[in-house]
Amino acid sequence: MLKIEGLTAFVTVAEAGSISEAARRLRLSKSVVSERLAEMEKTLGATLLHRTTRKLTLTEDGTVFLERATRIVREVREAAADLAERRGTLAGPLRIAAPVTFGRMHLGPALYPFLAAHPEIELTLELDDRRVDAASDGYDAIIRHGLIADSRLVAWPLARSRRLLVASPDYLARHGLPASPSDLENHRGIFYTNRGVADWRFQGQEGAVVVRGKLALGINNGDVSRDAAIAGLGIALLPAFIAGPSVNEGLLVEIDVGCRPEPEFVFMAHPEGRNPSAKLRAIADHLKKAFGDPPYWDTLR
């Protein structure tokens, strides 16, 4: 007889691409995950995974079996969560990905009291600045700053996000204070590489204004972008939730070029076609209240 533990191990390994990563996600040892896979393959009488020293791939049988196994595992988890919710309890596993800097500065502190109030929620929060694929990487939801362009995701806005054009006092003393978007073309820029383009975007009276500066540094992390600006490496366009404290301390200077940076949002997004659980909706509602409207990181300045 097939066991849900074996199905869960198989689905997680297929999503993770390795037994070691699946073991980490399931909080089990590699040997336990391997045993569960072997037991399920024996029960089915089929090999589901090709294992080599370098990689792990699905067999033809494994590919066919994965779709239904994934659906079964998800439905069992949702059924267990529904029963808990009928008892008025938010419970069960939840896996969310978020950017490193936002997670450290704002998401974690906002989540701690919620998790303390709902101890039966088993949250795995993974902080990663890469653009993860919520569906294929096995996340219940992702939290992102900016626009969600993936049509496979359903996005919930959590908070507005104002952005600040900033540089260090030392950099501006050496290179001058830009007074218009065109002035920025002669300045060195620190650009967030996950956006895919090295430019600054503003809202002008006649529409969008896009300016390309000279690349000083491309980086996929907000902390390093801020620190590079503080070090005088160039000008950066950063969210207020990252740059605001440094502006308040005088480490960075906000630059006014006569038009505002394009506004953005902090989103939570879940894969389309999945019915979001009550605990995921509860976390989203809690975060919206915790961040505020306008968000506290704007009103502190």
Side-chain angles (χ1 to χ4, degrees):
M1 179 181 295
L2 287 177
K3 298 179 180 179
I4 188 62
E5 292 86 355
L7 287 171
T8 301
F10 169 64
V11 169
T12 307
V13 168
E15 291 175 344
S18 72
I19 290 177
S20 58
E21 173 61 17
R24 186 184 70 82
R25 294 183 185 182
L26 293 170
R27 303 176 191 174
L28 298 171
S29 68
K30 290 169 58 177
S31 61
V32 168
V33 173
S34 296
E35 288 170 4
R36 290 181 179 180
L37 287 173
E39 181 182 359
M40 188 176 67
E41 287 180 324
K42 183 178 179 181
T43 301
L44 291 171
T47 301
L48 303 177
L49 297 162
H50 286 305
R51 302 169 179 83
T52 69
T53 56
R54 292 189 175 183
K55 64 179 181 178
L56 183 150
T57 58
L58 291 168
T59 64
E60 184 177 348
D61 285 340
T63 301
V64 172
F65 187 66
L66 178 61
E67 181 179 355
R68 291 189 177 182
T70 300
R71 186 166 62 248
I72 290 169
V73 170
R74 185 170 64 245
E75 289 180 352
V76 168
R77 287 174 174 170
E78 290 175 353
D82 286 345
L83 286 177
E85 289 158 13
R86 286 172 64 88
R87 299 193 303 270
T89 302
L90 298 177
L94 200 59
R95 187 164 173 250
I96 297 176
V100 175
T101 304
F102 184 75
R104 179 183 62 80
M105 295 180 68
H106 304 284
L107 180 59
L111 281 174
Y112 302 150
F114 178 87
L115 295 174
H118 302 283
E120 293 189 45
I121 291 180
E122 302 168 13
L123 176 64
T124 299
L125 179 62
E126 300 192 8
L127 302 184
D128 195 330
D129 284 327
R130 70 184 177 91
R131 293 286 181 174
V132 300
D133 186 323
S136 62
D137 289 347
Y139 293 101
D140 295 288
I142 60 174
I143 292 175
R144 281 290 174 261
H145 173 254
L147 297 176
I148 302 288
D150 192 336
S151 61
R152 299 171 301 167
L153 297 175
V154 178
W156 300 335
L158 300 178
R160 290 181 289 171
S161 177
R162 191 163 61 89
R163 295 190 296 161
L164 310 176
L165 189 69
V166 295
S168 71
D170 173 67
Y171 175 88
L172 295 175
R174 287 184 286 114
H175 297 277
L177 179 67
S180 68
S182 60
D183 288 348
L184 291 171
E185 296 175 359
N186 299 316
H187 282 269
R188 294 169 60 77
I190 300 162
F191 298 104
Y192 187 62
T193 55
N194 279 355
R195 292 184 61 245
V197 289
D199 60 27
W200 295 297
R201 294 173 179 261
F202 303 91
Q203 284 185 327
Q205 293 182 349
E206 298 181 0
V209 178
V210 180
V211 182
R212 290 186 176 273
K214 300 174 182 178
L215 179 66
L217 176 67
I219 186 68
N220 70 337
N221 177 266
D223 283 319
V224 178
S225 296
R226 178 202 58 221
D227 292 347
I230 291 172
L233 205 60
I235 295 175
L237 185 57
L238 296 171
F241 62 73
I242 295 176
S246 297
V247 173
N248 291 340
E249 295 170 19
L251 299 174
L252 291 173
V253 175
E254 184 176 0
I255 302 168
D256 183 1
V257 292
C259 51
R260 294 183 177 181
E262 287 187 338
E264 293 188 335
F265 288 85
V266 176
F267 285 94
M268 175 182 281
H270 67 84
E272 186 179 35
R274 292 189 191 176
N275 183 29
S277 64
K279 57 181 175 288
L280 186 62
R281 293 193 299 269
I283 285 180
D285 289 342
H286 170 79
L287 291 176
K288 289 177 70 173
K289 293 176 182 176
F291 296 151
D293 186 15
Y296 67 83
W297 50 75
D298 281 355
T299 57
L300 289 176
R301 295 192 61 254

